[in-house]
Amino acid sequence: MGCVDPVTPEFEYREALIFVEGIASTEPGASFVSINESAIEFGVYVVNFSEGATVSFENTDSGQLVTLSEFEGVYRPPSNFAVAPGEAWKLDITLSGGKRLESAPETVLQPVPIRDIEVVYDKELEFREIFGGKFVAGHELKVSFEDPINDENYYYWSYRTYENLDYCERCVGAIFRDGDCILDRNTTGFPYFDYTCESECWRIRYPESIAIFDDKFSNGKVIEHLSIGNLLLYTKENMVVEVQQFALTPAAYEYYKVLNDIVDNNSGLNSPPPAALVGNMSNPDDPEDFVFGRFTAAATSTSAIFVDRTLIPEEPLERKEVRLFEPTLGSPFPPPATITAPCEETKFRTAIRPEMWVD
């Protein structure tokens, strides 16, 4: 018996809810739109990427339309697209079924340059519920910048890490032919085959948490060594960390603040529930149709750093498995014998060499 009675929470899962996340950035290559829809598949609640949508950014001052293309679970504008401070942009979406969505216009602010970024290694960086619960190693990511004086400023950080890939394809119970893993009866006794990358290839990882900041108590000061995330030691491959610092409008900051409260949920048992997560997306044909998510026109500054991890003694979270390759002599598999696979460009993989990479 205890002083607290456990209560099993009840959740109401709804299908066909639309979730939108979009950013139009002042940095080329940093803009994107993600559209997902909730569904219940085989009794399991899932969120699926919404394919076949028509997506565009619209400059509400000039009327310019920029069409985004579908690419590996996200919609992206042309690689050289960038917004400029002072411009006003909105997001227009037509889903494959004809449903229209649009955002309120948002004005791009002036970017705030990153002065410095650093990573600090800690062998007990963060507690994780793995292997019965343990502290895991990694790097704490920190930024320094000078906050502009006489303005209210709001910040949001995202980042990407790049690590070399050991192999570009693993076929379980199959072999790699014509760009795909195909079943073959001769794989009996072989659990899998690995295929090394035909060219240099990097795995991309993204943040697992939200980092925001407002200058209410630090207006006009130099902000130094502000922690914006933890980079867990998944592997001991060297990596490049690319940080994006977004200057937000007050409305955008409030949205990400509520989202951060919901994700972290660390305010204690007696704290009030987070505020409603209200973005700036809507259905122009049905005001009662609620759309989750937000479009943000964000002034962006970017900085990157190379991190050498070869001398770290702690074991990584991802254990290296034995690499198995197709036999090249006396192979029982259909020719040609294959040991490599292409490095396909996706959200989580690239053959484009990171700018700060060191061999």
Side-chain angles (χ1 to χ4, degrees):
M1 299 295 292
C3 60
V4 176
D5 293 328
V7 176
T8 302
E10 296 182 4
F11 301 97
E12 180 185 358
Y13 296 112
R14 295 176 57 188
E15 295 187 276
L17 294 175
I18 303 298
F19 303 87
V20 177
E21 180 186 9
I23 288 180
S25 170
T26 55
E27 288 281 339
S31 303
F32 71 93
V33 173
S34 173
I35 310 171
N36 294 284
E37 184 173 352
S38 65
I40 298 177
E41 298 178 355
F42 306 104
V44 178
Y45 183 77
V46 297
V47 178
N48 297 321
F49 173 64
S50 184
E51 300 178 337
T54 301
V55 183
S56 61
F57 292 144
E58 179 183 348
N59 186 316
T60 58
D61 297 323
S62 67
Q64 176 191 3
L65 287 177
V66 178
T67 302
L68 283 69
S69 302
E70 186 175 324
F71 176 76
E72 291 290 337
V74 74
Y75 292 89
R76 293 192 179 278
S79 59
N80 61 350
F81 170 77
V83 299
E87 295 178 341
W89 290 83
K90 65 189 288 282
L91 171 63
D92 298 309
I93 298 171
T94 301
L95 300 178
S96 58
K99 181 177 180 178
R100 294 197 304 141
L101 307 173
E102 66 178 17
S103 75
E106 190 152 285
T107 301
V108 184
L109 305 178
Q110 289 291 336
V112 178
I114 297 174
R115 173 177 287 191
D116 185 39
I117 60 175
E118 61 181 319
V119 291
V120 180
Y121 182 72
D122 186 344
K123 65 180 181 181
E124 294 185 342
L125 178 67
E126 187 175 301
F127 186 82
R128 286 293 176 104
E129 297 289 346
I130 57 174
F131 309 120
K134 61 176 288 189
F135 282 94
V136 297
H139 292 84
E140 185 178 11
L141 179 60
K142 300 181 180 184
V143 297
S144 299
F145 59 96
E146 185 173 352
D147 182 71
I149 197 169
N150 298 328
D151 288 319
E152 292 183 354
N153 294 284
Y154 304 90
Y155 303 91
Y156 167 68
W157 287 273
S158 185
Y159 53 83
R160 290 176 286 199
T161 64
Y162 297 84
E163 308 165 21
N164 264 140
L165 278 172
D166 285 338
Y167 56 86
C168 276
E169 198 69 54
R170 168 169 286 178
C171 294
V172 179
I175 58 175
F176 189 74
R177 295 291 186 276
D178 298 323
D180 204 0
C181 292
I182 61 173
L183 297 177
D184 188 283
R185 56 187 175 83
N186 292 316
T187 57
T188 303
F190 299 97
Y192 55 82
F193 287 121
D194 293 326
Y195 299 87
T196 57
C197 302
E198 292 177 355
S199 61
E200 279 196 292
C201 196
W202 288 267
R203 174 191 295 184
I204 306 173
R205 300 185 196 266
Y206 294 89
E208 299 179 8
S209 60
I210 295 171
I212 55 175
F213 181 78
D214 75 84
D215 68 351
K216 182 178 180 180
F217 300 108
S218 56
N219 183 41
K221 297 181 180 179
V222 175
I223 312 300
E224 294 187 305
H225 316 302
L226 178 67
S227 179
I228 61 168
N230 290 338
L231 312 175
L232 301 188
L233 190 68
Y234 288 106
T235 75
K236 291 202 283 188
E237 296 285 343
N238 294 339
M239 67 177 174
V240 163
V241 185
E242 182 184 87
V243 177
Q244 296 168 328
Q245 179 171 283
F246 299 101
L248 300 180
T249 62
Y253 173 80
E254 286 302 319
Y255 174 85
Y256 285 111
K257 184 176 184 299
V258 172
L259 184 60
N260 186 54
D261 290 342
I262 293 173
V263 172
D264 286 351
N265 191 26
N266 59 1
S267 299
L269 292 173
N270 296 320
S271 62
L277 187 62
V278 179
N280 61 356
M281 299 295 304
S282 64
N283 180 342
D285 303 318
D286 182 3
E288 301 299 319
D289 183 17
F290 187 80
V291 182
F292 292 91
R294 192 178 205 287
F295 166 71
T296 301
T300 313
S301 59
T302 303
S303 186
I305 187 173
F306 178 80
V307 182
D308 188 328
R309 301 193 289 186
T310 54
L311 299 180
I312 292 176
E314 282 72 35
E315 287 298 313
L317 292 174
E318 294 179 357
R319 305 287 176 84
K320 277 195 174 184
E321 297 178 281
V322 176
R323 295 168 67 183
L324 300 177
F325 300 100
E326 272 190 45
T328 54
L329 297 176
S331 173
F333 306 115
T338 304
I339 59 173
T340 64
C343 177
E344 296 184 352
E345 292 289 326
T346 72
K347 180 180 179 181
F348 303 100
R349 171 187 299 189
T350 184
I352 300 173
R353 184 184 179 90
E355 186 176 339
M356 296 294 292
W357 188 261
V358 177
D359 289 322

